[in-house]
Amino acid sequence: MGGFRAYVIDKQDGAYSVGVKTLTEADLMDGDVTVRVTYSTVNYKDGLALTGKAPVVRKFPMIPGIDLSGEVTASQSADFRPGDRVVLTGCGAGEVHYGAYAGMARLKSEWLVPLPATLSPAQAMAIGTAGFTAMQCIIALERHGAKPEDGPAVVTGAAGGVGSVAVAVLARLGWQVIASTGRPAEADYLKGLGAAEVIDRSELSGPVKPLARERWAAGVDTVGSTTLANVLSMTKHSGAVAACGLAGGMDLPTSVAPFILRNVALLGVDSVSCPRSLRLEIWRRLARDLDLAKLDAMTSMIGFDDLPATGAAILEGKVKGRIVVEIDA
Ligand code: NDP
């Protein structure tokens, strides 16, 4: 049994450490499917785990990395056979179960999704948890009854991973997308993804009024805090906002006014424990509604050794769009 490289996070006597170790399959955790990992990605949460800036990792030692694509090498599950190409997003990988930043992973079959036929393993990781969550937000809005004829949709943190995919998919579905960003230099990038209008995020970070001028019928918010509160106060009557992120903070300094005076709905989105039936629907919708040329335009590639620096960069808001990590470990 050959060895493979893995990032290993440990915490001993309160000291958080990240290093690369050589492991064998015998070191992996229990699961009914073993996968040779070919690609992964860096989400905001991966940045938190790699730097130790928030308690994402809940079991030590841990192999970080919440998303992977790869090829099954052994399976005790009737659902997967050696050679099958699979995708994993979330489900506790990299948090409580050894995750993606290693040459091999052993996982539970119920977490795995067959790689959609139209996507390459690298494209599946260009989507990753961020793109998956963007689509989950859009499905939540649709289930609420939101539709492009109701008015524009705002996307906050638009130049980030969730935001970029949300902009591209909403635009393809016919929404007039208003992209909010703190990086005005990325206006052309966001318009290239399909944004009709780009606004500076400072428009959404000022003092929150209970109700403000109605600007959009729907929203995908990745920022939280004052930004989400302002988005809610500017949402049209009977509109809805899907909240998935906290890049600007975990608090929510709002009032009940948008809910009781404008019938606005706040829809919570958690991708980690997303039920399997919805997980499969999200991947089907991504394969159908995400323009792959736009996905490629928002994606950059890094190597296994670039992970720590990229994890720090995403927390500083310096990563544009999505990152794919080639795992040659
Ligand atoms: P990224 O870092 O790629 O994007 C976040 C974006 O938020 C940044 O690019 C920036 O956009 C904006 N931003 C960052 N800091 C601030 C700030 N202080 N104030 C306002 N805007 C800010 O991360 P992801 O897209 O991967 O994730 C976005 C958020 O969604 C994170 O909080 C993440 O934890 C959460 N998330 C939640 C999931 C769930 O299951 N609920 C799943 C996936 C992600 P810009 O430069 O355009 O202003």
Side-chain angles (χ1 to χ4, degrees):
M1 194 188 300
F4 55 87
R5 289 192 300 151
Y7 281 86
V8 177
I9 293 179
D10 212 344
K11 192 176 186 181
Q12 290 197 356
D13 302 325
Y16 198 87
S17 65
V18 186
V20 175
K21 291 189 176 167
T22 298
L23 305 181
T24 69
E25 284 187 35
D27 297 312
L28 294 172
M29 292 168 84
D30 286 347
D32 54 349
V33 180
T34 307
V35 175
R36 186 172 62 80
V37 184
T38 49
Y39 293 95
S40 183
T41 180
V42 182
N43 298 281
Y44 193 86
K45 194 183 243 180
D46 294 311
L48 293 173
L50 283 166
T51 58
K53 286 210 171 126
V56 165
V57 175
R58 281 170 285 137
K59 198 168 182 177
F60 297 92
M62 181 53 56
I63 297 175
I66 65 171
D67 298 338
L68 62 84
S69 60
E71 191 175 304
V72 173
T73 58
S75 172
Q76 293 163 337
S77 159
D79 294 332
F80 297 99
R81 284 181 302 183
D84 285 353
R85 299 203 295 180
V86 290
V87 181
L88 165 80
T89 56
C91 297
E95 299 182 57
V96 292
H97 190 98
Y98 284 180
Y101 297 159
M104 302 292 295
R106 190 173 298 118
L107 304 157
K108 293 197 175 150
S109 50
E110 61 260 34
W111 301 339
L112 296 171
V113 168
L115 178 74
T118 53
L119 296 175
S120 70
Q123 284 168 328
M125 284 299 97
I127 293 170
T129 282
F132 180 92
T133 305
M135 192 73 236
Q136 193 177 349
C137 288
I138 292 167
I139 290 174
L141 292 169
E142 290 173 347
R143 286 185 175 179
H144 182 75
K147 43 191 186 318
E149 305 83 85
D150 299 337
V154 67
V155 176
T156 64
V162 178
S164 293
V165 176
V167 169
V169 173
L170 284 166
R172 174 136 175 187
L173 292 171
W175 287 87
Q176 186 196 339
V177 180
I178 301 175
S180 166
T181 182
R183 291 182 269 181
E186 301 302 347
D188 285 345
Y189 162 74
L190 290 164
K191 286 188 174 161
L193 295 181
E197 192 184 338
V198 178
I199 63 172
D200 195 290
R201 75 180 182 207
S202 60
E203 288 190 36
L204 302 177
S205 58
V208 183
K209 293 183 189 160
L211 294 175
R213 179 170 66 86
E214 295 177 53
R215 297 176 72 176
W216 33 72
V220 172
D221 178 67
T222 72
V223 175
S225 191
T226 309
T227 300
L228 175 55
N230 273 308
V231 165
L232 289 166
S233 76
M234 296 174 191
T235 300
K236 288 184 173 196
H237 195 279
S238 296
V241 178
C244 69
L246 44 57
M250 208 166 186
D251 60 327
L252 181 55
T254 186
S255 74
V256 296
F259 311 116
I260 65 170
L261 298 175
R262 285 200 184 144
N263 207 36
V264 168
L266 178 57
L267 311 173
V269 169
D270 162 38
S271 65
V272 178
S273 310
C274 175
R276 186 169 170 80
S277 57
L278 179 55
R279 207 168 269 286
L280 293 169
E281 182 188 345
I282 289 168
W283 281 104
R284 271 197 303 274
R285 287 289 307 274
L286 284 161
R288 193 190 81 182
D289 296 331
L290 178 58
D291 180 338
L292 292 181
K294 292 201 169 132
L295 180 66
D296 291 346
M298 69 177 83
T299 303
S300 24
M301 288 291 271
I302 64 165
F304 191 72
D305 297 320
D306 302 321
L307 273 165
T310 310
I314 197 166
L315 298 188
E316 290 164 22
K318 288 186 183 156
V319 167
K320 179 172 83 176
R322 297 284 301 138
I323 302 279
V324 171
V325 189
E326 190 168 7
I327 306 283
D328 51 356

